[in-house]
């Protein structure tokens, strides 16, 4: 113990203080959104705005739920839609993208370079512009107003495959060769070697996919005309845009903002260590 | 005759086994990618060359060639200005984010207690920096720093740097939190990059009498050039697809206007895409050359 203490140099003390200050600065917005949701109405409009709440109340949430029960579609329906869509999308994205990434990373075949460069190109393309063609395709194959219409568009996600290819290509090829010599089938190699080794990368893409799908309003706006098929994100968003300019809506908006934010935080805390692992490994060539 | 046929059949079977199963793994993703990514992108190119009108029962396409692209620069008086302003901001913000990430990652690479915790904190915002939360924060004014208005920095900057740059610099300053928020992934890429430098090199130069300052310039920096280029690319893509970006907002607005319509919006998107592509090509060229000369020198 004494030896450890002696190892701490003044330089380290400075480093830790600087980092504590920076970290505090970076977490300000998160603290803000937390505090904002519990502010009573009179504090929301204080000028200059205060960071910390003085008299915390739960009335913002009360109003949010009151507002929600007055709507034509019950609040729980939106929650169910969101949870159902997110869960199914997560599972299918993981299965489909790991399979594709495994092949792209470890096999040689024609058009492989073409597919890889297409992935990189589509990463650069602004997502808004493909909205209408997607709508036409979805309505062309009669997927509007079904859960599949929520799930399928995010299924073929280029970003997930992009990250997974980078990670899986670092798994040594010798491992797979050894398994092949021992008589493992393709599916055997995939499930017994690639999947367990890619767990950190899978954790990462599941976080990113969760974030994307949970906050996504595009599928609900474009593909769902039936109000009962829309997700929580859409409901909160329409609530916000309808109430943004009115004084009365500000507190509901603050509460709704926190409500959308909490699941992200939970998922992040669950997978955080795994993500950092991936990020650190996937950069190494 | 029969034998050659049998050999050909065997050969085909071998290739089927070799490629077929691999392609089978790829197939579900590939179909999805084609239907929901590749075809829509192609479709938007098709639309950008047409005047798209909404008629009962679908869309009507009238071929107008390059007119949409010409209009973007000639008739539209918002788009070129926004594009240029955003590019100026970008050219300032990308180096700032990368340099900031480089400095922070250098410090995080030192040994000190609680290093892992700090790495987690610096990575945390990336997770939250998705559209929904971010736009929520910005409408509530959390993304700004109060001291810029309090101390009235704008005239000072105008005086010392010049009026034409003042606006750009002010908007970058007001996004200082954003810069911090957007450097999480870059920091981790840099840290990962430092792990590839073998510690024996540092030991060798230390014995040869190099100071830490020298060893940073002579070893750490040259070794992390590929990671700098990776980070620059990542930052460019990240900022250009940023949801609050004024150019994207303009594209979105035009999508639902009666007189311009979807065809024009697609044309704008393709112009924007073209600009990003050129920028990335330049960055790749620059870094590719520097990596190559380094390799030749060795």
């Amino acid at each position: 113990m004494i030896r450890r203490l002696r190892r701490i140099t003044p330089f380290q003390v400075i480093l830790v203080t600087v980092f504590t200050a920076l970290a505090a600065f970076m977490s300000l917005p998160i603290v803000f959104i937390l505090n904002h949701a519990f502010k009573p109405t009179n504090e929301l409009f204080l000028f200059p705005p205060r960071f910390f709440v003085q008299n915390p109340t739960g009335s913002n949430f009360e109003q949010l739920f009151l507002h929600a029960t007055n709507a034509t579609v019950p609040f729980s329906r939106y929650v169910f839609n969101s949870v159902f869509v997110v869960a199914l999308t997560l599972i299918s994205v993981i299965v489909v993208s790991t399979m594709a990434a495994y092949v792209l990373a470890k096999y040689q075949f024609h058009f492989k370079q073409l597919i890889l460069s297409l992935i990189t190109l589509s990463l650069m393309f602004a997502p808004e512009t493909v909205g209408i063609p997607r709508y036409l395709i979805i309505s062309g194959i009669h997927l509007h107003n079904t859960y599949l219409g929520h799930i399928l568009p995010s299924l073929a996600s280029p970003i997930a495959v992009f990250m997974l290819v980078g990670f899986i290509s670092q798994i040594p090829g010798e491992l797979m060769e050894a398994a092949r010599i021992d008589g493992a089938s393709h599916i055997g190699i995939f499930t017994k070697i690639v999947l367990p080794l890619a767990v950190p990368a899978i954790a990462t893409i599941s976080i990113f996919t969760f974030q994307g799908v949970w906050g996504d309003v595009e599928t609900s706006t474009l593909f769902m005309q039936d109000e009962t098929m829309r997700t929580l994100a859409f409901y909160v968003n329409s609530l916000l845009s309808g109430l943004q300019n009115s004084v009365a809506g500000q507190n509901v908006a603050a509460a709704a903002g926190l409500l959308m934010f909490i699941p992200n935080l939970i998922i992040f805390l669950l997978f955080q260590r795994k993500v950092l692992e991936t990020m650190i490994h996937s950069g190494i060539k | 005759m029969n034998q050659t046929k049998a050999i050909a059949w065997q050969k085909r079977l071998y290739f089927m086994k070799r490629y077929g199963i691999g392609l089978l793994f790829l197939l579900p993703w590939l179909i999805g990618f084609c239907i929901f990514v590749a075809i829509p992108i192609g479709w938007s190119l098709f639309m950008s060359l047409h005047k798209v009108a909404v008629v009962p029962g679908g869309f009507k396409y009238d071929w107008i060639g390059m007119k949409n692209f010409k209009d973007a620069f000639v008739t539209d008086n918002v788009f070129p200005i926004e594009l240029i302003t955003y590019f100026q901001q970008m050219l300032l913000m990308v180096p700032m984010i990368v340099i900031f990430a480089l400095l922070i990652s250098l410090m995080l690479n030192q040994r000190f207690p609680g290093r892992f915790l700090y790495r987690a904190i610096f990575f945390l915002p990336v997770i939250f920096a998705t559209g929904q939360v971010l736009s929520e924060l910005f409408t509530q004014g959390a993304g700004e720093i109060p001291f810029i208005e309090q101390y009235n920095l704008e005239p000072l900057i105008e005086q010392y740097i010049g009026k034409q740059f003042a606006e750009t610099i002010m908007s970058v300053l007001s996004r200082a939190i954003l810069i911090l928020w957007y450097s999480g992934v870059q920091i981790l890429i840099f840290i990962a990059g430092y792990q590839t430098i073998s510690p024996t090199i540092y030991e060798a130069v230390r014995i040869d009498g190099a100071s830490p300052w020298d060893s940073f310039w002579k070893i750490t920096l040259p070794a992390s050039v590929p990671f700098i280029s990776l980070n620059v690319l990542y930052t460019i893509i990240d900022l250009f697809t940023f949801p609050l970006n004024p150019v994207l907002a303009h594209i979105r607005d035009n999508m639902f206007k009666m007189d311009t319509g979807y065809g024009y919006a697609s044309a704008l998107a393709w112009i924007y895409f073209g600009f990003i592509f050129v920028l990335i090509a330049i960055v790749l060229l620059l870094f590719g050359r520097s990596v190559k000369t380094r390799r030749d020198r060795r």
Side-chain angles (χ1 to χ4, degrees), chain A residues 12 19-20 22 25-26 29 36 103 108 128-129 132 134 136-137 156 161 211 215 240 265 268 272 275 280 283, chain B residues 19 22 25 29 32-33 35-36 59 111 118 120 122-124 127-128 132 136 140 180-181 192 252 262 269:
Chain A
Q12 286 181 340
F19 274 126
T20 315
L22 266 176
F25 186 65
M26 285 181 80
H36 210 68
V103 173
Q108 294 300 326
E128 274 78 8
T129 47
I132 302 283
R134 270 188 183 175
L136 292 174
I137 288 169
V161 173
Q211 308 272 325
L240 292 186
L265 184 70
F268 174 71
Q272 167 245 34
V275 173
I280 284 170
Chain B
Y19 296 115
F25 270 76
W29 180 81
F33 182 77
I35 293 178
F36 292 107
F59 289 85
R111 277 180 187 285
Y118 285 101
F122 278 95
F123 189 64
L124 183 89
I127 298 296
F128 300 133
Q132 186 98 30
E136 176 67 19
Q140 293 177 6
L180 285 176
W181 276 37
R252 252 189 315 246
Y262 199 73

Side-chain angles (χ1 to χ4, degrees), chain B residues 88 154-170:
Chain B
Q88 278 180 344
E154 199 163 357
L156 267 179
I157 291 173
E158 263 179 37
Q159 194 183 337
Y160 287 111
I161 305 172
K163 213 164 198 154
Q164 63 271 39
F165 296 115
E167 204 181 314
T168 322
I169 289 176
M170 283 309 289

Side-chain angles (χ1 to χ4, degrees), chain A residues 207-218:
Chain A
I207 287 182
F208 280 112
T209 318
F210 179 85
Q211 308 272 325
V213 178
W214 179 254
D216 185 34
V217 288
E218 195 201 88

